[in-house]
Structures are given as C-alpha cells and as structure tokens.
Amino acid sequence: MKKVVVIGQGNVASHFIESFTKSKAVELIHLNSRNLEIIPTADIYIIAVTDDAIQAVSKQLGNTTALVVHTSGTVALEAISQSRKGVFYPLQSFSKNKTVDFHKVPFCLEVNQESDFTILSELANILGAKHYAIDSKQRKKLHLAAVFVNNFTNHMYQIGQEICEEHQVPFEILYPLIEETSKKINTLSPKEAQTGPAKRNDIQTINNHLEQLNSQQQKIYKIITKSIQEN
C-alpha cells in the first residue's frame, strides 16, 4: 500500500481525495497547503494547489526523499525543488460539485528519474485512468490547446445561452447540436467537421448575424469567422 499525501483544497485536490479514499491500494492523508508545520512521511506527495503556490509548497516539504509531484498543466517540472520530482496532470475540467470519472480522464506524466515513471503509472492505474508520457514543453502546448477546446468553447456556449435567453428560446434546444458536434471529431478532423456560413462563405447570412449582435459579440463573431475562412 502506498502512502499518498494530497496537499491542497481546491477542485483537483477534492476529487483526488474522493477517489483515493475509495482505494485499498492507497493510504491517504490530506493536508491544507496553508498548514504544513507537521508533514507526515509518505511515498508520494501530490501538490494540488494554484500554479503560483507550487514552488513555495515544494520548499516547505524540505529534503524529503519521497516522490513529489504537482498537478499543473503549465508549471515546469523544475518548480519542484526535491531530487525526486514529477508531474501528475489530469487533463480535465474539474468542478467541485460535479462527480469525476477518472476512467475518462487522461493523465500527463513526467518525471526526472526514469524509475519514478512506473510509480506514477501505478497511481494513474489506481484511479483507472489512461496515462501518457508528456514533457513540460509538450504539456504547456497541450494546456494551450485545452484552453481553446474547453474554456473558449464554453464561453461560446455562454454567448449562445445569452442570445437564447434574451429572445425567450430554451437553450436546451441546442444540446443535441452541441453533442453531435463534439462526437464528430471522433471520426473526422475538426477541419473536416467544420460547417456553417463562414465555411460556406455565405456573406449574406454573416452580415445578417452581425446585425443581430451587440458590439462585443460582433468582434468575437468577426474574428472567428475570419479564422475559419482563412483556414
């Protein structure tokens, strides 16, 4: 049984704690990052805090010979000061009150000592998660890509919802379209799956849409339309 310490109290930490607690392969200890005066010994320390706090928390762990990992998509491996260091990054959007199925969450793993990769692989397996060897440079680019496909896409959902609500149309009418669009890229590339007035260069429809939008929405619409047309 591995002794795992999870440090943090945010969304990622909360879901790790919930899942590891159910496993008989892990002895779990949870620490608040603001209260690290007494640090228990462990096999693995998982620093699941905000990006700008990772380095400070690592320093508080001192010269432990255990494996110390962080869960960030953008922070480099070198932010951890210990000799055995790694990254245990779950590529998913976490909300505190939304259950996470780790079987569907890919983990990006990185270590500075090759032997520790097996340890992180086993930890991912305990969660039932698929894992990939991704270095810091690749992970930064992957996180950037994730912002486009997740955060920016979700903002488009928000704008769509606002337009629907403004005109008393149920947003749920768009659910099947959203689902079908996301399913398409399982069999088609995003470029192949692209449809709509920008793809068709339907200027009349584009101008009609622009007339219905406020100034901020127009800016977004024009930028995305131009990007599609030039792609």
Side-chain angles (χ1 to χ4, degrees):
M1 179 181 289
K2 293 196 180 300
K3 191 172 183 181
V4 177
V5 171
V6 174
I7 304 170
Q9 55 185 5
N11 293 343
V12 175
S14 297
H15 287 294
F16 277 166
I17 292 163
E18 182 180 352
S19 294
F20 283 133
T21 299
K22 299 173 183 176
S23 172
K24 295 180 180 180
V26 168
E27 178 186 346
L28 180 69
I29 299 173
H30 175 218
L31 294 179
N32 187 323
S33 60
R34 298 176 184 175
N35 185 20
L36 291 177
E37 287 85 4
I38 301 175
I39 302 172
T41 58
D43 299 302
I44 307 169
Y45 294 92
I46 301 176
I47 303 175
V49 300
T50 57
D51 289 357
D52 57 1
I54 290 172
Q55 195 166 24
V57 171
S58 171
K59 288 180 179 178
Q60 286 182 278
L61 293 177
N63 296 321
T64 178
T65 57
L67 176 59
V68 180
V69 302
H70 71 65
T71 62
S72 170
T74 59
V75 176
L77 179 69
E78 288 70 28
I80 296 173
S81 59
Q82 284 71 30
S83 59
R84 292 177 63 200
K85 62 189 73 176
V87 177
F88 193 63
Y89 169 51
L91 182 53
Q92 186 53 274
S93 174
F94 292 93
S95 299
K96 214 157 198 174
N97 297 320
K98 178 72 168 59
T99 301
V100 173
D101 182 359
F102 279 109
H103 290 83
K104 299 178 181 179
V105 178
F107 273 72
C108 302
L109 311 184
E110 182 181 7
V111 293
N112 70 322
Q113 296 184 19
E114 190 174 342
S115 58
D116 285 331
F117 190 86
T118 301
I119 295 175
L120 288 190
S121 298
E122 291 172 352
L123 199 61
N125 289 336
I126 289 171
L127 294 172
K130 190 173 183 178
H131 60 272
Y132 302 83
I134 303 289
D135 64 31
S136 289
K137 185 176 180 180
Q138 292 172 318
R139 181 164 37 85
K140 286 181 71 174
K141 300 301 183 184
L142 187 59
H143 189 270
L144 175 60
V147 167
F148 275 91
V149 303
N150 177 41
N151 306 124
F152 290 174
T153 300
N154 189 72
H155 186 62
M156 297 299 105
Y157 295 159
Q158 180 185 339
I159 293 174
Q161 184 179 31
E162 290 169 355
I163 292 171
C164 285
E165 290 178 348
E166 182 182 353
H167 299 282
Q168 294 80 51
V169 177
F171 181 60
E172 66 185 44
I173 292 176
L174 294 175
Y175 290 175
L177 177 61
I178 293 170
E179 184 177 357
E180 176 62 19
T181 302
S182 64
K183 281 182 177 179
K184 277 184 181 180
I185 59 172
N186 289 319
T187 55
L188 298 172
S189 71
K191 187 172 184 177
E192 290 172 327
Q194 186 68 58
T195 61
K199 179 69 173 180
R200 299 191 303 269
N201 199 31
D202 185 348
I203 303 301
Q204 183 175 345
T205 299
I206 291 170
N207 289 335
N208 180 272
H209 285 170
L210 288 170
E211 289 174 1
Q212 301 176 65
L213 301 172
N214 63 40
S215 58
Q216 182 64 22
Q217 292 168 346
Q218 284 179 354
K219 291 177 184 177
I220 296 170
Y221 189 102
K222 287 178 179 178
I223 290 171
I224 295 175
T225 295
K226 184 179 180 182
S227 180
I228 292 171
Q229 289 173 332
E230 294 179 349
N231 199 299

